[in-house]
Amino acid sequence: MKRLVILISGRGSNMEAIVKACKAEGWPAEVAAVVSNRPDAGGLQFAAAHGIATAVVDHKAYGSREDFDAELARVIDGFSPDLVVLAGFMRILTPGFTARYARRMLNIHPSLLPAFTGLHTHERAIEMGCKVAGVTVHFVTAELDHGAIVMQAAVPVLAGDDAKSLSARVLTAEHRIYPQSVRWFVEDALVWSGEVVSHRSGAAQHLFLS
């Protein structure tokens, strides 16, 4: 039984999707804790209502990223996780922190990486005239929005889309591929070849959503 610790900064909709899928699909895993850097994060209420331990490490209480990351790691390690899942966790992590959880920390990013790393992905995709946008689940490394890709979903950019409408369509895709990616990890279905990850069965690691 693998233990998951999920990090959030806000409402935690991807966290909710993972919690629900874990229970409904009977994964060999449990969500041991949900940790937030913001005391007012809405997702903490959902976690507590589902009997999941919660913790807050308020980044505003620390004078440096290193100090914050050290306390965050201490709290995370108190729950003995096999996997750390970033689900809308809006902090840039130090190289020491990412190295500590190398190959056992996942993130989801609302673009088809390596395109549009960083913020404002939907606005940038529309401004560039992209016909397809999407979302990527990847392992976390010290380089922002890089790391081995686990799964991607492509979403069309429609005529008249703005950032809000495109974001909503991409979020639907996020709620499909993030739980699937986490499930693959807990089922030991992911195989590393150098810095590339594949599914041991050769299963498709992409979705095309209309």
Side-chain angles (χ1 to χ4, degrees):
M1 180 73 72
K2 287 190 169 60
R3 294 172 60 82
L4 313 178
V5 170
I6 303 178
L7 308 187
I8 64 171
S9 292
R11 60 178 174 165
S13 68
N14 273 305
M15 176 270 293
E16 290 187 21
I18 291 166
V19 168
K20 291 176 180 177
C22 182
K23 182 176 181 180
E25 299 171 9
W27 300 356
E30 64 172 335
V31 179
V34 172
V35 181
S36 176
N37 65 304
R38 294 183 179 275
D40 60 349
L44 293 171
Q45 297 179 3
F46 173 90
H50 285 75
I52 300 169
T54 62
V56 174
V57 182
D58 189 345
H59 64 279
K60 294 180 181 178
Y62 299 87
S64 69
R65 286 182 180 172
E66 288 76 13
D67 289 345
F68 169 73
D69 282 5
E71 178 60 13
L72 181 62
R74 187 192 69 79
V75 170
I76 290 171
D77 290 350
F79 296 104
S80 303
D82 297 286
L83 179 68
V84 177
V85 181
L86 309 185
F89 187 67
M90 304 302 290
R91 299 297 299 167
I92 295 176
L93 299 165
T94 58
F97 187 93
T98 58
R100 186 188 193 99
Y101 301 105
R103 295 196 175 188
R104 58 190 186 103
M105 182 160 58
L106 290 176
N107 183 47
I108 191 162
H109 182 74
S111 79
L112 292 173
L113 293 176
F116 304 125
T117 60
L119 300 175
H120 310 299
T121 58
H122 307 303
E123 292 92 337
R124 291 155 64 196
I126 291 170
E127 288 172 2
M128 290 294 294
C130 293
K131 309 309 177 190
V132 175
V135 59
T136 303
V137 177
H138 65 97
F139 282 94
V140 178
T141 64
E143 188 171 2
L144 182 65
D145 298 329
H146 284 68
I149 292 172
V150 177
M151 194 173 189
Q152 292 181 306
V155 175
V157 180
L158 304 179
D161 259 340
D162 58 15
K164 184 176 180 180
S165 60
L166 180 57
S167 174
R169 198 175 310 113
V170 170
L171 188 63
T172 298
E174 292 181 29
H175 293 166
R176 290 183 61 180
I177 73 167
Y178 213 1
Q180 181 65 72
S181 298
V182 174
R183 180 174 181 173
W184 283 348
F185 181 94
V186 302
E187 292 179 340
D188 296 319
L190 297 175
V191 178
W192 288 84
S193 177
E195 295 303 313
V196 176
V197 173
S198 59
H199 192 279
R200 67 184 177 198
S201 71
Q205 291 177 258
H206 59 269
L207 291 174
F208 293 93
L209 303 177
S210 59

